Amino acid sequence: NRDCFKNKDQSLASFKCCFCAMYKENIDTIKAINLVAKHLRINIKRIGFAGTKDKKAKTTQLISLFK
């Protein structure tokens, strides 16, 4: 559904969510998500992710940030 991304006016300020690649190593996904939320000063419920990755591996995971 494209409405997830923009309102009808198509301006940059109208984005409802943003997708980012989160690179992490030696930290589990939940702790990494908590750090992202803390640094962005947003509630953790505004960050979406699918599944968890290996704590000891070097991984990149797609996350979504919602307004």
Side-chain angles (χ1 to χ4, degrees), residues 15-50:
F15 279 94
K16 294 181 181 180
C17 60
C18 170
F19 294 96
C20 304
M22 176 179 69
Y23 174 80
K24 64 180 200 61
E25 55 184 87
N26 297 322
I27 185 171
D28 65 56
T29 301
I30 302 302
K31 286 183 182 179
I33 294 293
N34 278 313
L35 286 172
V36 169
K38 181 179 177 180
H39 286 287
L40 294 178
R41 296 180 180 159
I42 62 173
N43 189 309
I44 190 170
K45 292 180 181 180
R46 293 176 51 200
I47 302 175
F49 62 98

